Amino acid sequence: AAARVAAPDPDSFAGLAVNRYGRTLAKRFLLGYSRKLWGIPCERLSARVSGARLGGLDLRQFLLQSLLGRGGDRRSADGTFYYPVRGIGMLAEALARGCGPGAVQTNAEVLRLAHEGGRVRTIEVKGMGRRPVDAVTSTLPLDRLLAIMDPPPPERILRLARDLTHRNLVLVGLFLEKASVSRAATVYFPDPRVPFTRVTEPRNRSEAMSPPGHTSLVAEIPCGAADPLWGADDADLVELVQRHLAGIGWVRAPEVIGSRVVRLPHAYPVLSLDVERSLGAITGYLDGLTNLTLAGRNGRFEYGWIHNMLRSAKDLAESSIERSPAVASEAAGAPS
């Protein structure tokens, strides 16, 4: 008789994927990809790493499109959305302009966060000294935030924070003298023998992203800080990606007219089942600082889409404006 395979923990990503789509489909399309992305077995991953992505993945549509090659609602997984003509960076640029000249300071390393009596009193920024604050919103990785607090948190909290891990991301871009590679904006690669998890063709989101007759491909390679790929030479990374893309017939060497490699540390917080159980103690401690708010993927140590992050940031900004002393003073003096 065949050996019986134990069912994965229902709170794990493996449990979610297997229970929803069956072991065969989950293993082929979801578990291998997620293992590459997060760097740990899916049986140890929290189901919350799926965000809302699996919510729109209807099994019938998936089978029609992926296995039978038939049409269906291609919007079922990601929905429809507007995309900035010259790329996603336009959003950050517009937000910075909206804050006013000089209001946004980049490359400003926060060295210390001093607190007393349940409130953050000052922050120290490299090259700028200490600054008193009324309120602080932090998007710093949680372990980094706790490490710069003065006085430091209890050793128990610091020990839990040291267990928090992140996946770094290496982006390898190839610029091609070729009108198009595929019709898809993003193609996913669950095969563990392929080093990247997905490849994006930006011009398929906006034609302005490439000159006429040209296109580009951006491969995403997730890795840990100790992974050899994180410290590999740019030329080796470009050769690695180009070789795999040539193997599937997407790229020929004469078509590659340029490349660029970008490294993004702390790209994804790794939400394992063990870490998820520790987060309550960490956030409970930080909740004791009444004027500190955690925000963003790293600040809250959670996985979410960019539009969810923008929505929560908008809500946070609106609530901060409503609570500000200036607004309260104006409201108190306004006629009824």
Side-chain angles (χ1 to χ4, degrees):
R4 187 172 183 179
V5 179
D9 186 334
D11 292 331
S12 70
F13 179 79
L16 172 68
V18 170
N19 291 337
R20 183 168 295 179
Y21 301 109
R23 190 174 296 276
T24 300
L25 288 178
K27 183 177 180 180
R28 179 165 184 175
F29 295 102
L30 297 173
L31 301 183
Y33 174 86
S34 298
R35 175 67 175 83
K36 280 201 299 183
L37 174 59
W38 300 105
I40 63 174
C42 294
E43 290 76 12
R44 291 171 48 201
L45 272 175
S46 166
R48 290 202 296 128
V49 300
S50 68
R53 288 185 181 272
L54 296 187
L57 186 57
D58 176 78
L59 181 58
R60 180 177 180 275
Q61 293 292 337
F62 175 80
L63 291 172
L64 286 175
Q65 295 175 39
S66 301
L67 303 183
L68 303 181
R70 292 167 55 185
D73 183 2
R74 300 175 68 88
R75 302 171 302 172
S76 59
D78 288 334
T80 58
F81 50 86
Y82 292 105
Y83 190 79
V85 173
R86 297 193 178 278
I88 203 70
M90 292 184 71
L91 295 181
E93 292 166 359
L95 289 169
R97 287 196 303 271
C99 293
V104 177
Q105 299 177 11
T106 58
N107 298 316
E109 182 183 359
V110 181
L111 300 177
R112 190 166 72 150
L113 184 147
H115 61 99
E116 182 182 9
R119 292 180 63 83
V120 180
R121 302 297 178 177
T122 63
I123 61 171
E124 182 179 348
V125 180
K126 187 175 183 178
M128 303 179 189
R130 295 187 185 183
R131 297 186 176 186
V133 294
D134 295 319
V136 173
T137 297
S138 173
T139 59
L140 290 172
L142 275 180
D143 52 341
R144 171 63 180 164
L145 173 65
L146 291 164
I148 63 173
M149 293 183 67
D150 181 19
E155 178 56 34
R156 177 178 67 92
I157 299 298
L158 292 174
R159 186 169 58 251
L160 292 174
R162 285 193 287 268
D163 291 335
L164 302 180
T165 59
H166 298 78
R167 289 291 270 175
N168 299 336
L169 199 62
V170 179
L171 304 180
V172 180
L174 301 180
F175 307 112
L176 308 176
E177 193 171 19
K178 184 176 185 177
S180 177
V181 172
S182 76
R183 295 174 53 197
T186 304
V187 177
Y188 293 78
F189 292 82
D191 189 337
R193 294 170 296 182
V194 178
F196 41 81
T197 48
R198 61 184 181 180
V199 174
T200 299
E201 187 168 1
R203 78 175 312 278
N204 289 340
R205 294 202 188 278
S206 170
E207 292 185 357
M209 296 291 285
S210 293
H214 295 71
T215 191
S216 62
L217 298 174
V218 181
E220 301 182 13
I221 305 176
C223 50
D227 193 308
L229 288 174
W230 180 243
D233 290 339
D234 288 4
D236 292 336
L237 291 167
V238 169
E239 191 278 330
L240 177 68
V241 169
Q242 185 173 326
R243 173 161 42 87
H244 280 276
L245 293 178
I248 61 175
W250 275 19
V251 172
R252 294 186 299 112
E255 297 168 340
V256 181
I257 59 174
S259 63
R260 186 180 179 190
V261 175
V262 176
R263 292 170 175 81
L264 303 176
H266 293 88
Y268 297 107
V270 181
L271 192 59
S272 68
L273 289 173
D274 291 338
V275 164
E276 189 173 38
R277 297 177 183 121
S278 302
L279 281 176
I282 294 174
T283 56
Y285 168 78
L286 292 172
D287 284 343
L289 299 175
T290 57
N291 63 338
L292 172 67
T293 303
L294 305 178
R297 181 183 283 177
N298 285 329
R300 296 179 58 84
F301 207 85
E302 63 183 18
Y303 178 69
W305 292 355
I306 185 172
H307 43 273
N308 291 337
M309 297 297 104
L310 289 171
R311 165 59 67 181
S312 62
K314 180 176 182 294
D315 293 342
L316 175 61
E318 290 176 346
S319 65
S320 297
I321 292 172
E322 292 173 357
R323 294 196 308 266
S324 70
V327 172
S329 176
E330 290 178 7
S336 58

